[in-house]
Amino acid sequence: MLRGLALWLALIGAVALAHWSSRTPNPTAANSPGSAFSAARAVVDDRAIATVAHPVGSIENRASRDYIISRMAALGLSPQVQKTQVAKRAERSKDPFVVSATVENIIGIWPGRDRSAPALALMAHYDSVPASPGAADDAAGVSAALEIIRALKLQGTPARDVVLLITDGEEVGLLGAQAFFDDNPLAKHIGFVVNMETRGGGGQTQMFQTGPQNGQVIDLFAKTAVRPQSSSLAVFLYEHMPNDTDFTVSNAAKIPGLNYAFIGRQFDYHSPTSTSANLEQGSLQHMGDQVLAVARPLAFGQALPGTSPSLVYSNTFGSQVLAYPPLLGWLLLIAAAGLTVVGVRRARARNDLAWADISRGVGLALYLVLTTAVLFRLARRATGVAMGFIEQRTLLAQVTTWEIALLLIGIGALLYVASLASRGRVAPQAAILALAAGGACSAFGFDLPGLGIGLVAAAIAFWVFRRSSDASGSWAGLLGVGLILAILAQVFAAPTAFMMAWPLFAAATLAAMTAMGTRRAGWGSLVICGVAVAGVAWLLGFAHGMFLGLDLVELLALFSLLAALLLWPLAHGSDHFRRFVALALLLAGFGTVAWIHTKPPWTPRFPQATMVYYLQDMDTGTQTRIAMTPELDPWSRAVLSADGGVINRVPNPMWKGAKVWSAPANPVAVAAPSLALSRLSDGGLRLTIMPPTGSDDFGLDIQSKSKLHDTRIDGRPVQLFDKANQWSKLRFSASPQGTAIDFWAEGSGQMEVRYTLQGAAWPRDAKPLPKRDALVMAFDRSDTTIVTGTKQFSW
């Protein structure tokens, strides 16, 4: 009875503590003390910067630039503008891929006592993507930086220069940061960078990236952190993801630093709904509190952090950060192994542990992970939402409901497996659950991975559930699997091992104290309950971060195993009430998924994205209306059928592998870009591209039959061509004046150029777009004209 009560207290307490720990702080009022960061003060700047969408090179971006300059001048920073054309080759692209734009960085300096000392840079970007005001990404970072400078200046003269670096062109390829760290002499003066970025409209701010050899940096972070959300796991994972911020550029320049962002409310990411009204001010407050706290010692301290061996670290609760050298991870694992042995020996001495149950515990761990993974996979497929940035918006519009569904399924699966373990001869029942989930994944299109996971889990079920297993023996098996996983992580990815090692150590300590959970004294269950509340809540924080960062819900099954390490002696039991609750939670979880699948989520706060374009193919002379959303909503259907054509699903004329909705359009006059090839006086060749008036963003795909070299784009050298007969891609933003590509070739040759012009308004002579209601919105570059064509050149 007491164990059952302790179990429910542990589960409820862990969920409540995790929810409390994930809250953002209340925004500080505008009349708060001047030395404190105030989101209410910062959001005034956010509203001014993010009134409308302001992509690089636009008139609106220049208005944001002028406002920021005025604010920096009022702070006494003597702002300067670095205006330059940038051409940068993308590093992660398999084929040559160059992005280019004219950027205008805004740079202000707060002079320090020692002007020769390495400077501190506070960095954020002010450009937005087209169609999004960018109140979060990244007007929030800019407004936070302005408020932080204001608060710091009340402390007196800093020990070193403090540089406020507000970059441009981040959204089109980190071009402003590249221009600063490549070309600006001030870049050599920077000794530490703090970058502020966002990938959503709310949630807690996370410090998710540092430079290499970060030991001293993490020491400073741990001493100054204010309710931090950060770990070496996050840093490790981000370093292996294809994501970039301006910090990528400073990090490549070997300048140490810290990178902050919040990623909640991702529906608003790059969306028209990213307005100051929708920005969570608590997130802005959390960012400001953290960056101001770390900026003070950086600005006023005697020295900036240097390099030293990286640390394994993580936030715990409140403002506490636990950090240690990776070598200590081995000592933690040795201690966990030793404590497990102590627990096994004590349980054996009481005749409460059978060796066979340990092996069944290993099987239980595998069955739990696989079955939970296939249940999560089934839930994701049952939402009816396909994978992809646009497709996922259906889930992002109801993200809390979706996360609750997964939480219910995860807890239900853990409790159900634990209840089956305590009963004998339930292998068919366990196998049917895994097989049914794996087979049901194919109800939404054949799914080999889901079926395979279900089959493996079912096979394990016939090994594990032929007989009942006692709590102590099966717990020992679970701890053994946890130890193996932690050792593998320690060997191959030491920064991540703590996530398994800490719960493992806590569980092994409980196992030794309670003789593997067999002692009946009430204090044992209460101690396990207390530790489980803290440990499972801590794990749920990481699960929440993974849920926000990756649309791969199967990975969350690992947290079921880690939670089981702490909850097992309480969850193991054969009472009917426990099984009933487990099944009820599973049904509730999938019932919530069914609700998500059947209920349209669109509201005025979360409107449906529409992406319609007027497409002119200059090669064929055909004109079509297209929609690039996976589903065709009534408004988009009305746009496509406005000229009486039949709507079809066809291959995307611009991007291979994708499909679009398409219908014929009545012909209207659409201007094409001008492309010309000429010989230079020094023998080189120049390809000149001039977009028509009103269109300044375009892309080129170029293939040459011969090897080209010494390429320059608007006078800047960049390696565009690697070898003959290879397609090279260029994407230009904010280039109304056109672009010149100079190159040299040996002898005669031929070149094919495919162009895509995007960004002009809807054709003036075409039937106008119908008015949208509050449930739909224009997304990305919707409501514009796309012109495609091909040119052949020879010399």
Side-chain angles (χ1 to χ4, degrees), residues 672-735:
S674 170
L675 283 77
L677 185 70
S678 59
R679 180 71 70 174
L680 300 173
S681 59
D682 60 3
L685 293 163
R686 170 170 292 176
L687 177 64
T688 304
I689 305 99
M690 179 63 67
T693 302
S695 300
D696 54 9
D697 288 9
F698 54 91
L700 300 177
D701 292 0
I702 304 176
Q703 184 189 61
S704 172
K705 300 297 183 183
S706 56
K707 179 71 168 64
L708 307 179
H709 56 89
D710 296 331
T711 308
R712 292 177 177 269
I713 298 178
D714 291 324
R716 297 181 67 94
V718 61
Q719 186 176 346
L720 174 59
F721 304 105
D722 288 348
K723 57 187 177 181
N725 297 308
Q726 180 184 29
W727 284 101
S728 298
K729 299 178 182 296
L730 298 90
R731 297 296 180 265
F732 300 91
S733 297
S735 299

Side-chain angles (χ1 to χ4, degrees), residues 166-192:
I166 308 301
T167 66
D168 191 12
E170 191 272 351
E171 297 293 0
V172 293
L174 319 179
L175 297 185
Q178 197 72 50
F180 177 81
F181 289 101
D182 280 355
D183 300 337
N184 198 306
L186 185 60
K188 294 180 175 60
H189 185 45
I190 305 298
F192 199 92

Side-chain angles (χ1 to χ4, degrees), residues 385-539:
V385 178
M387 304 293 287
F389 176 67
I390 294 297
E391 291 83 350
Q392 194 187 11
R393 296 187 64 77
T394 302
L395 291 179
L396 296 179
Q398 44 196 333
V399 66
T400 301
T401 305
W402 170 225
E403 189 171 16
I404 289 172
L406 293 174
L407 179 64
L408 293 172
I409 292 169
I411 295 175
L414 192 160
L415 295 181
Y416 191 66
V417 171
S419 69
L420 290 180
S422 63
R423 302 171 61 200
R425 300 174 183 175
V426 291
Q429 186 175 335
I432 287 172
L433 174 64
L435 277 175
C441 288
S442 293
F444 308 94
F446 181 68
D447 181 40
L448 182 59
L451 186 59
I453 296 171
L455 284 169
V456 173
I460 293 173
F462 282 105
W463 160 40
V464 173
F465 295 107
R466 288 180 299 173
R467 294 181 54 187
S468 64
S469 55
D470 59 52
S472 56
S474 54
W475 194 14
L478 289 169
L479 292 172
V481 172
L483 181 61
I484 292 171
L485 292 176
I487 290 173
L488 291 174
Q490 184 70 28
V491 171
F492 295 106
T496 72
F498 74 91
M499 193 181 72
M500 286 161 276
W502 294 5
L504 175 68
F505 177 78
T509 302
L510 292 174
M513 289 174 57
T514 63
M516 299 301 297
T518 59
R519 293 187 61 171
R520 300 293 181 181
W523 68 266
S525 295
L526 293 178
V527 170
I528 293 172
C529 175
V531 173
V533 167
V536 174
W538 182 77
L539 288 169

Side-chain angles (χ1 to χ4, degrees), residues 30-63:
N31 61 356
S32 61
S35 59
F37 183 93
S38 167
R41 287 191 288 255
V43 80
V44 174
D45 292 325
D46 189 273
R47 294 190 187 105
I49 297 167
T51 303
V52 294
H54 48 285
V56 59
S58 65
I59 295 174
E60 294 79 9
N61 204 37
R62 290 194 286 274

Side-chain angles (χ1 to χ4, degrees), residues 305-385:
T307 58
S308 62
S310 293
L311 299 178
V312 175
Y313 75 97
S314 174
N315 60 280
T316 53
F317 294 100
S319 295
Q320 302 304 309
V321 175
L322 180 58
Y324 54 83
L327 182 62
L328 287 184
W330 286 111
L331 298 181
L332 189 64
L333 295 181
I334 291 170
L339 288 166
T340 302
V341 171
V342 170
V344 168
R345 294 187 64 177
R346 292 189 66 195
R348 287 287 294 171
R350 296 166 61 89
N351 294 318
D352 286 327
L353 187 148
W355 293 115
D357 286 341
I358 296 180
S359 67
R360 277 192 282 273
V362 172
L364 280 167
L366 298 176
Y367 177 83
L368 173 62
V369 170
L370 292 173
T371 301
T372 306
V374 77
L375 287 169
F376 283 159
R377 185 176 182 85
L378 173 60
R380 179 63 178 84
R381 292 177 65 81
T383 62
V385 178

Side-chain angles (χ1 to χ4, degrees), residues 107-112 114-122 158-164 180-181 185-194 255-257 295 298-301 303-305:
I107 306 159
I109 301 177
W110 177 23
D114 184 356
R115 301 301 307 278
S116 65
L120 165 67
L122 301 180
R160 58 185 38 79
D161 289 353
V162 178
V163 177
L164 186 54
F180 177 81
F181 289 101
L186 185 60
K188 294 180 175 60
H189 185 45
I190 305 298
F192 199 92
V193 173
V194 179
I255 302 174
L298 289 169
F300 293 93
L304 294 173

Side-chain angles (χ1 to χ4, degrees), residues 733-748:
S733 297
S735 299
Q737 75 284 357
T739 295
I741 305 171
D742 298 343
F743 57 89
W744 277 257
E746 301 297 334
S748 60

